[in-house]
Amino acid sequence: MIYFVPMQDPLSAPTYPEPSSPLDRVLQTLQAYPGTTLVAVSKTRSVEAIHALYQRGLRDFGENSALELQSKARVLPDDIRWHFIGHLQTNKVKTILPWVSLVHSVDSPRLAEELQKRAAAVNRHVGVLWQV
Protein backbone atom coordinates (compact mmCIF):
# COMPACT_ATOMS: atom_id res chain seq x y z
CA MET A 1 0.00 0.00 0.00
CA ILE A 2 1.28 3.45 -0.86
CA TYR A 3 0.03 6.53 0.94
CA PHE A 4 0.64 9.99 -0.49
CA VAL A 5 1.07 13.06 1.67
CA PRO A 6 1.89 16.47 0.22
CA MET A 7 5.28 17.46 1.53
CA GLN A 8 5.53 20.38 3.92
CA ASP A 9 8.53 22.63 3.63
CA PRO A 10 10.38 21.99 6.91
CA LEU A 11 12.33 25.21 6.52
CA SER A 12 9.24 27.44 6.41
CA ALA A 13 8.44 27.30 10.12
CA PRO A 14 11.09 27.94 12.78
CA THR A 15 9.57 25.36 15.15
CA TYR A 16 9.41 22.50 12.64
CA PRO A 17 9.12 19.66 13.34
CA GLU A 18 6.59 20.23 16.06
CA PRO A 19 5.43 17.19 18.03
CA SER A 20 1.98 17.18 16.48
CA SER A 21 2.89 18.12 12.91
CA PRO A 22 0.87 16.48 10.12
CA LEU A 23 3.92 14.40 9.22
CA ASP A 24 4.28 13.16 12.80
CA ARG A 25 0.60 12.19 12.89
CA VAL A 26 0.86 10.30 9.59
CA LEU A 27 4.02 8.49 10.67
CA GLN A 28 2.36 7.49 13.92
CA THR A 29 -0.75 6.24 12.11
CA LEU A 30 1.30 4.23 9.62
CA GLN A 31 2.98 2.30 12.42
CA ALA A 32 -0.26 0.34 12.66
CA TYR A 33 0.08 -0.78 9.02
CA PRO A 34 3.33 -2.70 8.52
CA GLY A 35 4.46 -2.80 4.91
CA THR A 36 2.91 0.55 4.09
CA THR A 37 5.13 3.00 2.25
CA LEU A 38 4.86 6.74 2.74
CA VAL A 39 5.78 8.61 -0.44
CA ALA A 40 6.49 12.30 0.12
CA VAL A 41 5.44 14.23 -2.96
CA SER A 42 8.44 16.45 -3.39
CA LYS A 43 7.54 18.27 -6.59
CA THR A 44 8.37 21.98 -6.44
CA ARG A 45 10.17 21.50 -3.12
CA SER A 46 13.78 22.44 -2.58
CA VAL A 47 16.62 19.98 -2.19
CA GLU A 48 17.04 21.31 1.37
CA ALA A 49 13.40 20.54 2.22
CA ILE A 50 13.72 17.01 0.83
CA HIS A 51 16.95 16.47 2.72
CA ALA A 52 15.31 17.59 5.97
CA LEU A 53 12.65 14.88 5.54
CA TYR A 54 15.34 12.39 4.56
CA GLN A 55 17.06 13.13 7.87
CA ARG A 56 13.78 12.30 9.62
CA GLY A 57 13.83 8.85 8.04
CA LEU A 58 11.78 9.24 4.86
CA ARG A 59 13.28 7.42 1.89
CA ASP A 60 10.51 7.46 -0.73
CA PHE A 61 9.92 10.65 -2.71
CA GLY A 62 7.64 11.27 -5.68
CA GLU A 63 8.19 13.62 -8.60
CA ASN A 64 6.04 14.36 -11.61
CA SER A 65 8.74 16.04 -13.69
CA ALA A 66 11.50 13.96 -15.22
CA LEU A 67 13.96 16.84 -15.28
CA GLU A 68 13.24 17.83 -11.68
CA LEU A 69 13.65 14.22 -10.53
CA GLN A 70 16.96 14.02 -12.38
CA SER A 71 18.35 17.24 -10.92
CA LYS A 72 17.34 16.36 -7.35
CA ALA A 73 18.50 12.75 -7.54
CA ARG A 74 21.96 13.86 -8.62
CA VAL A 75 22.56 15.80 -5.39
CA LEU A 76 20.55 13.86 -2.79
CA PRO A 77 21.56 10.60 -1.06
CA ASP A 78 21.72 7.48 -3.23
CA ASP A 79 19.42 5.41 -1.01
CA ILE A 80 16.36 7.53 -1.80
CA ARG A 81 13.71 5.54 -3.67
CA TRP A 82 12.34 7.85 -6.35
CA HIS A 83 8.79 7.41 -7.61
CA PHE A 84 7.62 8.96 -10.85
CA ILE A 85 4.01 9.95 -10.21
CA GLY A 86 2.95 11.94 -13.26
CA HIS A 87 2.44 11.31 -16.94
CA LEU A 88 5.70 10.04 -18.37
CA GLN A 89 6.57 10.64 -22.00
CA THR A 90 8.44 7.85 -23.72
CA ASN A 91 11.29 10.18 -24.62
CA LYS A 92 11.84 11.00 -20.90
CA VAL A 93 12.38 7.38 -19.81
CA LYS A 94 16.14 7.63 -20.22
CA THR A 95 16.14 10.79 -18.06
CA ILE A 96 14.65 9.08 -14.99
CA LEU A 97 15.88 5.52 -15.43
CA PRO A 98 19.12 5.82 -13.43
CA TRP A 99 17.16 6.80 -10.30
CA VAL A 100 13.52 5.77 -10.45
CA SER A 101 12.31 2.77 -8.43
CA LEU A 102 8.62 2.83 -9.37
CA VAL A 103 6.68 4.48 -12.18
CA HIS A 104 3.09 5.06 -11.04
CA SER A 105 1.57 6.10 -14.33
CA VAL A 106 2.28 3.63 -17.12
CA ASP A 107 -0.59 4.20 -19.49
CA SER A 108 0.46 2.53 -22.73
CA PRO A 109 2.16 -0.65 -23.94
CA ARG A 110 4.65 1.56 -25.81
CA LEU A 111 5.76 3.23 -22.56
CA ALA A 112 6.01 -0.13 -20.78
CA GLU A 113 8.12 -1.54 -23.62
CA GLU A 114 10.43 1.49 -23.55
CA LEU A 115 10.88 1.17 -19.77
CA GLN A 116 11.61 -2.54 -20.10
CA LYS A 117 14.04 -2.08 -23.01
CA ARG A 118 16.02 0.72 -21.36
CA ALA A 119 16.05 -0.94 -17.92
CA ALA A 120 17.34 -4.20 -19.39
CA ALA A 121 20.08 -2.34 -21.25
CA VAL A 122 21.51 -1.06 -17.96
CA ASN A 123 20.55 -4.10 -15.85
CA ARG A 124 17.98 -2.24 -13.73
CA HIS A 125 14.66 -3.36 -12.34
CA VAL A 126 11.95 -0.70 -12.27
CA GLY A 127 8.49 -1.34 -10.88
CA VAL A 128 5.46 -0.04 -12.73
CA LEU A 129 1.84 0.59 -11.91
CA TRP A 130 -0.57 0.41 -14.85
CA GLN A 131 -2.96 3.31 -15.20
CA VAL A 132 -6.37 2.10 -16.35
Side-chain angles (χ1 to χ4, degrees), residues 43-94:
K43 62 183 189 174
T44 73
R45 301 299 180 175
S46 69
V47 169
E48 293 79 14
I50 297 168
H51 196 265
L53 290 177
Y54 175 87
Q55 290 178 318
R56 298 218 32 223
L58 273 72
R59 293 296 180 269
D60 291 83
F61 293 89
E63 287 289 337
N64 70 342
S65 163
L67 296 176
E68 198 167 331
L69 186 152
Q70 179 186 49
S71 67
K72 290 174 181 175
R74 285 182 170 162
V75 297
L76 286 162
D78 291 337
D79 63 336
I80 287 179
R81 290 177 296 270
W82 291 101
H83 297 245
F84 193 84
I85 58 173
H87 175 72
L88 179 60
Q89 296 174 326
T90 305
N91 65 339
K92 298 292 185 185
V93 168
K94 63 185 172 212

Side-chain angles (χ1 to χ4, degrees), residues 97 112-122:
L97 196 62
E113 290 166 4
E114 184 70 14
L115 281 162
Q116 181 177 2
K117 177 181 81 173
R118 292 206 178 261
V122 293

Side-chain angles (χ1 to χ4, degrees), residues 24 28-29 34 40-41 47 52 77-78 89 92 94 102-103 122 127-128:
D24 291 332
Q28 185 175 18
T29 300
V41 178
V47 169
D78 291 337
Q89 296 174 326
K92 298 292 185 185
K94 63 185 172 212
L102 182 63
V103 178
V122 293
V128 298

Side-chain angles (χ1 to χ4, degrees), residues 95-116:
T95 304
I96 65 167
L97 196 62
W99 299 281
V100 73
S101 296
L102 182 63
V103 178
H104 291 237
S105 51
V106 175
D107 59 359
S108 72
R110 182 173 171 238
L111 177 57
E113 290 166 4
E114 184 70 14
L115 281 162
Q116 181 177 2

